[in-house]
Amino acid sequence: MIYVTGDLHGDPARLSDKALRRLKKGDTLLVCGDFGFVWDGSPAELKLRRKIGKQKYTTIFVDGTHDNLPMLREFPEEEYAGGTVRRIEGNLLYAERGTILTLEGKKVFFLGGGVSEDMDERLESGTWHSEEMPTAEELAAAEERLTQSGGVDFIITHQPSDRMRIFLGGDRTEISPLGAFLDRVEQEMQFGSWYFGRLHKDKKIPPRQQAVFREVVPAEQR
């Protein structure tokens, strides 16, 4: 079975969530960005990665705004489930931006990246990465794959569309190329359900979207 959750932010306590105990061998956990366990390469972080990679289920995440993109891209690409991932450790995988994986018979579109609200603070500490925003080339390739797919069952992103972000109370002045691209996906592409993590909310938005954060929810095709 496929499950979805939101930003983990490298928090070890989230790995002990009792909701994860129901996941079995063959299940898949999808994380909607800000995974946070590929950040500084410290011994403590490596230990946690090994713990995640040894789980009986598979964890697949997209990048958010609190992930180290240069470090993620040091892991080699590999073909997996019809798309492209980077294997971080054992059963822990990073889904490349714009890839489509076929998981348990369902087509899942993954697109990481986002806009940092705390960019100025992190620039000062050297922890902000310009790569957090997908390039025009990445967005064009993602759009082509989506179009060629003829529709997907699930969409997994960190960022919601600009329209959805504003609907949920977001800043109207924060307009980005990624948000605009996701607006087009929302309006023009065929999909079953869409899950995103950036807003740190657990909320269903009928008919087909859901903000996820702390809850671990079964992926449902609506």
Side-chain angles (χ1 to χ4, degrees):
M1 191 162 181
I2 301 173
Y3 295 86
V4 187
T5 193
D7 305 11
L8 299 181
H9 285 288
D11 181 2
R14 293 287 300 278
L15 304 180
S16 301
D17 190 323
K18 60 183 179 182
L20 295 178
R21 296 175 194 165
R22 69 180 182 227
L23 274 68
K24 308 181 296 295
K25 184 176 181 180
D27 287 342
T28 306
L29 176 67
L30 307 181
V31 182
C32 296
D34 281 0
F35 179 68
F37 292 98
V38 183
W39 183 249
D40 60 13
S42 66
E45 181 177 275
L46 294 175
K47 183 177 179 180
L48 290 168
R49 277 191 226 159
R50 286 193 291 270
K51 178 179 178 179
I52 299 169
K54 287 180 179 178
Q55 295 301 315
K56 54 193 174 184
Y57 54 87
T58 299
T59 299
I60 305 176
F61 68 96
V62 296
D63 56 283
T65 59
H66 290 77
D67 291 302
N68 188 327
L69 261 294
M71 185 177 290
L72 278 172
R73 288 172 177 165
E74 291 175 3
F75 294 88
E77 289 185 348
E78 65 176 76
E79 295 301 307
Y80 178 86
T84 308
V85 302
R86 295 178 189 264
R87 191 173 300 273
I88 307 302
E89 181 82 35
N91 287 333
L92 173 60
L93 309 173
Y94 163 63
E96 286 281 19
R97 291 173 173 175
T99 199
I100 297 176
L101 306 182
T102 301
L103 305 172
E104 302 181 30
K106 304 294 185 182
K107 288 192 291 186
V108 187
F109 172 74
F110 296 85
L111 183 63
V115 179
S116 289
E117 295 177 345
D118 58 350
M119 182 179 71
D120 290 342
E121 297 173 15
R122 289 167 55 210
L123 272 171
E124 293 179 5
S125 63
T127 58
W128 178 77
H129 301 283
S130 60
E131 295 92 339
E132 72 176 26
M133 180 59 66
T135 64
E137 292 77 14
E138 286 175 326
L139 294 180
E143 185 167 11
E144 182 177 1
R145 288 190 198 100
L146 261 181
T147 300
Q148 292 178 348
S149 75
V152 296
D153 298 289
F154 303 121
I155 293 177
I156 301 295
T157 62
H158 179 62
Q159 188 95 355
S161 66
D162 276 340
R163 188 199 71 84
M164 181 58 65
R165 181 182 53 76
I166 292 169
F167 173 75
L168 293 173
D171 182 357
R172 291 179 175 273
T173 66
E174 184 204 292
I175 303 298
S176 70
L178 175 58
F181 168 77
L182 295 175
D183 278 350
R184 293 203 309 278
V185 171
E186 183 181 59
Q187 294 162 14
E188 300 174 9
M189 300 296 179
Q190 297 294 318
F191 64 92
S193 297
W194 183 338
Y195 298 87
F196 54 87
R198 180 197 160 179
L199 300 182
H200 288 189
K201 295 181 179 182
D202 289 293
K203 183 178 179 63
K204 287 185 178 182
I205 305 100
R208 295 184 294 169
Q209 298 196 48
Q210 187 163 348
V212 288
F213 183 32
R214 294 192 174 277
E215 292 182 2
V216 179
V217 300
E220 300 174 334
Q221 189 173 358
R222 302 185 185 112

